[in-house]
Amino acid sequence: MEKDRVLQALFFGVIALGGVSLIISNIFMMQENKWGLVVMDVLFFLWLSLVYLRRKSVSREMVILHFMVLTYLVGGAVLFFAGPLRAGILYLFTFQIMTAGFFGARAAKASVALNFILLAAVGIAAGQGYLTWDVAPEKRLFLWISISTNFLFLTVAASIVIVSRNREFQEALDGERAAAAELRLETREKEAAVQALRQSESKHRQLVENITEVVFSVNAEGRFTYISPRVREMLGWAPEDLLDKSFFELMDKDQRTSIPDWLSKARSGRKSSLVFQTWTKDQEERWISAALAPSAGDQDYLKIFGLLMDITQHKKDRKERELLESRLAQAQKMEAIGRLAGGIAHDFNNMLSPVLGYAEMLSEDFAHDPQARENLSEIVAAANRAKDLVRQILIFGSKAEDHPRPLDLGVQVSDALRLVKASLPPNIAVVSKLAPLHFVVNADPTQIQRVLMNMCANASHAMGSREGLLEILLEQDYISPGKDSADKNLEPGPYARLTIKDSGHGIAPENLDKIFEPYFTTKGVGEGAGIGLAVAHSIVSKLGGTIQVSSKLGEWTCFCILLPLAKGVPEAQNKSAQTPLPNGSGRILLVDDEPSLVQMTKQMLNRLGYETVTAFDGKEAIKALESAEKRFDLLVTDYSMPGFTGDQLALYVQEKFPGLPVVLCTGYSDKVSRENAAKMGISAMLSKPVNLRQLALIAYRLTNPK
């Protein structure tokens, strides 16, 4: 750059100032008739001007070389043709300075040699008289030697200074170049580091912003210094809404007691975690798990990094899993109770059968002895009450089938209260007031009894171990069109109102709308599964009724069950007066694995005029059927027998002896219903203990189809 500036100045000086000098010197030389120098100066000036104009199309070195050659030639020509006292020596000096300045020490030495040769040649030519100078001949050589030696000394000195200065410039330039190269290297390294940092920052930012958890940092006071955009999806807040706000503001007030311990762990450099409840911007509940880790450094500038994870669904899943486990436990419990109830029903009915059967037969024998007949009637009544008790146990175990029919609600409530009173603790007094009217409802006895059992069990839990009072009230009600909102879903008409009131702890107002939800309970663990009221509400709703509830916390709770009254005569009152037992004829095969029951039932059938053949299991019955010389008219078999059950025997008879009617007797079975009995070839079913009148009517109907 420096050389370019010098060259630019030289050209400017030569062309601008040199043009003036050329005019003046050429005028002087034309006066002396030195036209050769005039022509040469003009040509050289034009040549130099052309080089300057063409400088951009050739290299800088070539431009300098042209300039130096022209300078050297002009200097030599002036010396040869104008003498030593003219400007020629100045051109040669300029040539020397330019050589040293532009091309360095070696070129300077070469230019000194060229100048020496040119000066020597000029001196020899002048000494031989080939040149004419305006100097006396005897002084020419001495003058030339003096001029030449001084010129060479000055050019050498100037060259040494210029070369030395150029060397310093070059060393400085080399140093600057090295420094520039090192700076460029450092710059490239820094740029690479910055680029790598940017890439790393971009990668980590993408990672932070795209993971499902919320990444955050807080200072020692717990205020947010950064929070990732995922917080918008998790809590509905924009990151800028939370910056500089306290992390603890997200926590429920009751959970902020752990803040001092959390800060203590953070200041000591320990990791920690906590789970807290919070709410979104739209006030939706969320459960958040926070994992926290303090950064290393001065505690005065403590920064804590962490992750927020939404575990609301996990909480819900866990609660649902616990609920399902509770339901499974309750189902297993009810299944065990059902199996126990079924076993009790089967064995107890087998024990009741001889009592009831023999008592009925003795009652027939003592038809003309009123006292004996009355005593036997009491035995039959007691046996029937025991039979009802077994039925209620089956109801409690959910093993009885539903067969809706017209029922006297008062009778059903009275029967259910017997089991209720037996199941309540002695600290609870039961007071019932049932209207003398017949409230006929269309339901199954098991449904009514399950509702009453569940409601009374709930009342018992509410009263606990303290002295309590359970009131049962049955009365009539009427729902008018457009009555209050509590009854707006009921059809207008007459209803039976069954009121169950307890003196328990009452129900909190906020729970009144939840008590009929399945598995909702305020009881402690192991005290109830929360399905009793839900089952009762479901049954009552299916029957077209409703349950109304009112309560005073800490004092009482009252449930009012409204059931629509039905038309018709209750089943118990739709029976005609007792008629004589129908006698029949025919051969009956009786099968049972209980010898006492076989003996009793055989006597019953013999009394009724039938020929009875007995067997004690299914295989023995098959042998009797296959070996009989005369066809049987009826098969009466027990259901529960070892090896070959009653239903299997019925299927066998249907295949091998089509047309033979089968009566199935069972103390309890949840595998054979009245609906699928016909598919097995079963003509009728009798529940144990077998009633003499029922047996007589069924046997007569099946053996005398006309």
Side-chain angles (χ1 to χ4, degrees), residues 180-437:
E182 185 176 356
L183 181 60
R184 285 194 298 272
L185 180 60
E186 291 180 359
T187 302
R188 285 196 296 268
E189 290 177 351
K190 288 181 179 180
E191 289 177 350
V194 170
Q195 184 65 23
L197 182 61
R198 288 175 179 173
Q199 292 177 352
S200 176
E201 181 182 359
S202 175
K203 180 174 67 177
H204 285 89
R205 181 174 292 277
Q206 290 178 0
L207 177 64
V208 166
E209 293 181 355
N210 288 292
I211 61 174
T212 55
E213 292 81 8
V214 173
V215 181
F216 71 94
S217 64
V218 295
N219 57 22
E221 297 177 354
R223 295 189 176 278
F224 286 107
T225 56
Y226 172 78
I227 188 163
S228 63
R230 282 282 181 178
V231 72
R232 190 189 301 272
E233 299 177 19
M234 182 180 291
L235 298 176
W237 298 98
E240 55 269 20
D241 295 336
L242 297 177
L243 288 179
D244 203 38
K245 290 188 177 180
S246 175
F247 169 78
F248 308 114
E249 292 181 14
L250 296 179
M251 301 172 62
D252 186 77
K253 293 180 180 179
D254 296 336
Q255 297 174 314
R256 296 180 186 177
T257 54
S258 60
I259 292 175
D261 179 62
W262 178 75
L263 286 175
S264 175
K265 287 183 178 180
R267 291 193 177 100
S268 61
R270 290 180 293 168
K271 297 180 180 179
S272 60
S273 62
L274 65 149
V275 175
F276 60 90
Q277 185 183 25
T278 187
W279 283 264
T280 66
K281 189 176 183 180
D282 297 330
Q283 296 303 307
E284 294 181 6
E285 183 186 34
R286 290 285 187 274
W287 281 93
I288 304 298
S289 174
L292 311 162
S295 64
D298 192 341
Q299 291 183 357
D300 293 337
Y301 300 96
L302 180 68
K303 181 177 285 189
I304 301 165
F305 297 93
L307 289 176
L308 297 180
M309 182 184 301
D310 188 347
I311 60 171
T312 306
Q313 189 61 44
H314 174 72
K315 280 275 188 180
K316 291 181 179 178
D317 293 343
R318 182 177 178 181
K319 186 175 181 181
E320 185 175 351
R321 185 172 63 251
E322 292 174 352
L323 180 60
L324 290 174
E325 290 173 353
S326 173
R327 291 180 180 178
L328 177 61
Q330 181 66 19
Q332 292 172 341
K333 176 181 176 182
M334 295 305 296
E335 183 180 358
I337 292 175
R339 287 196 299 267
L340 177 62
I344 292 174
H346 179 269
D347 294 340
F348 201 64
N349 282 331
N350 281 343
M351 290 185 286
L352 280 176
S353 292
V355 176
L356 184 60
Y358 284 121
E360 287 181 327
M361 287 188 289
L362 285 173
S363 180
E364 293 292 330
D365 293 339
F366 288 92
H368 302 291
D369 187 344
Q371 185 61 50
R373 190 176 180 87
E374 183 179 351
N375 293 340
L376 290 169
S377 296
E378 289 297 326
I379 294 174
V380 172
N384 282 325
R385 284 196 298 271
K387 179 181 178 180
D388 291 340
L389 179 61
V390 173
R391 178 173 172 78
Q392 290 176 24
I393 292 174
L394 286 175
I395 292 169
F396 182 75
S398 303
K399 294 298 181 178
E401 298 177 30
D402 293 338
H403 299 286
R405 53 191 180 274
L407 298 175
D408 189 326
L409 185 58
V411 174
Q412 299 302 321
V413 172
S414 297
D415 291 344
L417 282 178
R418 295 192 190 101
L419 190 59
V420 169
K421 292 177 180 179
S423 64
L424 293 177
N427 60 292
I428 297 177
V430 180
V431 176
S432 61
K433 184 179 179 181
L434 308 180
L437 301 175

Side-chain angles (χ1 to χ4, degrees), residues 483-516:
K483 204 176 178 182
D484 57 50
S485 59
D487 301 324
K488 65 181 180 181
N489 294 324
L490 298 179
E491 293 292 333
Y495 281 79
R497 177 183 290 272
L498 178 61
T499 303
I500 303 170
K501 184 176 182 180
D502 65 71
S503 58
H505 52 63
I507 302 173
E510 63 269 17
N511 292 331
L512 284 175
D513 294 334
K514 303 176 183 178
I515 58 175
F516 295 119

Side-chain angles (χ1 to χ4, degrees), residues 54 180 240 255 265 294 402 451 459-460 505 595 608 627 639 664:
R54 301 276 300 174
E240 55 269 20
Q255 297 174 314
K265 287 183 178 180
D402 293 338
V451 169
S460 175
H505 52 63
L608 296 171
S627 62
Y639 169 76
L664 185 67

